[in-house]
Amino acid sequence: MEAEIFSVSQLNRYLKQHLDLDPVLNRLALRGEIGTFHRHPRSGHCYFTLKDQQASVKCVMFRFDAQRLSFQPMEGMAVILKGSVQLYEKEGALQVYVRDMEPDGLGALYLAFEQLKKKLASAGLFDPALKKPLPRFPHTIGVVTSPSGAALQDILQILSRRYPLVEVRVYGAVVQGNAAPASLRAAVAKASQDPLDLLIIARGGGSAEDLFCFNDEQLAYEIFRCPIPVISAVGHEIDYTICDFVADLRAPTPSAAAELAVPDAGQILGAVADFRYRMTRSMDRRLEQSAQSLLPLQHRLSRYHPVRILEQSAQRLDEVSSRLDRAVQGKIEQKTQEFSALTGRLQALSPLAVLGRGYSITQSQGRTVTASAQVRPGDTIVTTVKDGSFTSIVGEINHGTEKSNAGRKPSSPGNAGGSAGTGAAGAE
């Protein structure tokens, strides 16, 4: 008996009918991990694959059902689906039509997260007024993370590139698993005792279960008590943990935390250079303005400068000195001429000049004899002539033409002396 020949469409329709009538496939609960995930931008329908270690199956969740989800499905998330298995006849593709979805194992964890978040918020751990400001130029930064994780390498690379002056201290901790909360608390407590300017708590991306250790209540209080400003950088941008809310600043990624922690040295140098240029220009303009306003003062000062006054005084002194010299010299010349005239007159009236003309001077007892009555016979007289003097004894006195001997004998011719001058006594 020959087998019935089906067309492709007949086969797909046959398979679809059998799948639609299967009670198990119509009320299916399926566990797996989301693989490739895509939400259509227009329709809002979600297309993804669900996989385990051996196989995968295509899934579709229409917009009406996707809008009721309380979380955002992501690649790598473990979920439990509820729906039915159907065949897409056009392509003969087997698909799971998803009506509902929940995180696998995260239902209780998510509830615990929300409850703890509400509790800590009411306790004031998330109060924005208590957030500590980040230092603008930190010297030492602590990093709490896995020493072997990629997050640490990203942070170190960015810090060294942006701000090479900063010193980084790594506080190694377990960032996944049951031992992670205690390890993170110990690392934060140790960092709190060191002289740090800033502390970064970081971990790379992962599933919600991997990041759940950062929702520990005691870790939240340890961060809250930390005297150092804290940046939380856990997971990716869409991941939120309790650490993000209690920290002083949340960074979407560890790399972003490094960029937020330090300034860009290149930008600082550029700003400094620009400021220096603007300051230099401003100082040049200020100096030019000051120089212009100083010129009138310099001119005024030059007029009253002590050196200028001394120079002018010295010049006036030179002029007065020259005038004084000329006046003194003229006075000297005048007096010299007057002296010469007086000298000539004096010489003309000098007794010595008279003596040179043949006259003599007779003195008796130191007085000049000008009349015969001033001497008597027998007096000693001194006669001065041009070239000397001699002494005589008065013998006879003639008063005019009258002669008198005064009872004396005539003296010898050797003792006689003639007298010169009007009224002088003659000697015998």
Side-chain angles (χ1 to χ4, degrees):
M1 181 178 180
E2 292 186 6
E4 184 179 357
I5 300 176
F6 289 86
S7 66
V8 175
S9 59
Q10 290 175 334
L11 175 62
N12 288 347
R13 189 176 304 112
Y14 179 85
L15 292 175
K16 185 178 184 310
Q17 292 174 353
H18 280 75
L19 292 175
D20 292 341
L21 296 174
D22 192 307
V24 175
L25 298 181
N26 276 279
R27 293 185 298 273
L28 181 68
L30 190 63
R31 172 182 284 120
E33 179 179 312
I34 297 177
T36 303
F37 184 88
H38 172 68
R39 185 188 296 269
H40 197 279
R42 292 186 178 179
S43 65
H45 304 327
C46 299
Y47 301 93
F48 58 97
T49 60
L50 191 69
K51 62 181 181 179
D52 58 16
Q53 295 181 352
Q54 286 80 29
S56 65
V57 63
K58 292 183 178 181
C59 302
V60 59
M61 189 174 193
F62 295 113
R63 181 179 60 184
F64 177 78
D65 295 320
Q67 289 176 343
R68 294 185 288 106
L69 293 177
S70 59
F71 68 98
Q72 173 63 42
M74 297 179 298
E75 296 179 8
M77 180 180 290
V79 295
I80 296 177
L81 309 181
K82 292 181 180 180
S84 61
V85 177
Q86 299 183 23
L87 186 72
Y88 183 43
E89 291 186 51
K90 183 177 180 180
E91 296 181 358
L94 190 69
Q95 295 184 130
V96 178
Y97 289 79
V98 182
R99 295 187 299 271
D100 192 14
M101 182 190 308
E102 66 180 32
D104 185 13
L106 283 182
L109 295 179
Y110 181 76
L111 179 61
F113 169 78
E114 289 296 331
Q115 291 175 346
L116 178 59
K117 178 181 174 183
K118 184 177 180 180
K119 176 182 177 182
L120 296 179
S122 62
L125 270 69
F126 305 158
D127 189 353
L130 300 178
K131 303 296 184 182
K132 295 180 287 295
L134 271 61
R136 187 176 181 183
F137 301 103
H139 294 203
T140 307
I141 296 179
V143 181
V144 174
T145 189
S146 171
S148 59
L152 177 60
Q153 300 305 318
D154 292 342
I155 291 174
L156 294 177
Q157 181 181 4
I158 293 176
L159 291 179
S160 63
R161 172 175 54 83
R162 286 177 60 88
Y163 198 64
L165 299 177
V166 73
E167 176 186 353
V168 181
R169 297 183 183 179
V170 179
Y171 298 86
V174 180
V175 294
Q176 181 176 336
N178 296 331
S183 178
L184 290 169
R185 291 196 300 267
V188 173
K190 183 178 180 182
S192 299
Q193 299 175 358
D194 291 342
L196 302 177
D197 299 308
L198 183 64
L199 182 63
I200 299 175
I201 300 177
R203 187 201 191 281
S207 65
E209 299 98 320
D210 296 338
L211 303 180
F212 205 81
C213 57
F214 292 91
N215 295 327
D216 182 71
E217 181 176 2
Q218 297 304 316
L219 176 60
Y221 275 99
E222 196 68 54
I223 295 174
F224 182 75
R225 290 190 296 266
C226 181
I228 307 164
V230 178
I231 298 179
S232 175
V234 179
H236 296 301
E237 186 172 358
I238 60 175
D239 298 320
Y240 279 87
T241 65
I242 295 297
C243 283
D244 296 330
F245 295 103
V246 73
D248 298 295
L249 181 66
R250 175 188 179 267
T253 61
S255 299
E259 293 181 355
L260 293 171
V262 295
D264 189 341
Q267 293 180 357
I268 295 176
L269 294 176
V272 170
D274 179 66
F275 177 76
R276 180 179 181 181
Y277 171 73
R278 289 188 288 109
M279 183 177 66
T280 301
R281 289 191 58 188
S282 177
M283 290 298 297
D284 289 342
R285 288 195 299 267
R286 189 69 178 270
L287 289 174
E288 184 177 354
Q289 294 173 357
S290 299
Q292 293 296 329
S293 61
L294 189 61
L295 287 176
L297 297 177
Q298 288 178 333
H299 293 320
R300 293 176 56 188
L301 180 61
S302 63
R303 294 172 55 188
Y304 301 104
H305 196 279
V307 174
R308 180 62 60 86
I309 295 175
L310 289 176
E311 291 176 350
Q312 295 175 355
S313 300
Q315 184 176 358
R316 287 197 297 270
L317 181 61
D318 289 342
E319 294 174 355
V320 172
S321 178
S322 299
R323 291 167 55 189
L324 181 61
D325 289 343
R326 289 194 298 270
V328 170
Q329 186 65 31
K331 200 70 175 179
I332 291 174
E333 292 177 356
Q334 178 186 354
K335 295 300 180 182
T336 300
Q337 293 175 0
E338 292 177 356
F339 179 76
S340 298
L342 292 174
T343 300
R345 293 173 60 189
L346 182 61
Q347 288 179 352
L349 299 175
S350 173
L352 297 178
V354 177
L355 295 177
R357 293 196 298 270
Y359 293 90
S360 65
I361 299 173
T362 301
Q363 293 178 315
S364 174
Q365 298 179 355
R367 293 180 299 175
T368 302
V369 177
T370 61
S372 59
Q374 292 180 261
V375 296
R376 294 179 180 180
D379 290 346
T380 301
I381 60 175
V382 177
T383 302
T384 303
V385 294
K386 180 180 66 171
D387 57 352
S389 63
F390 54 86
T391 303
S392 303
I393 296 175
V394 178
E396 179 181 0
I397 299 175
N398 296 321
H399 297 285
T401 58
E402 186 177 341
K403 296 182 180 179
S404 177
N405 294 329
R408 290 179 178 264
K409 295 181 178 179
S411 58
S412 60
N415 292 331
S419 61
T422 304
E428 293 183 358

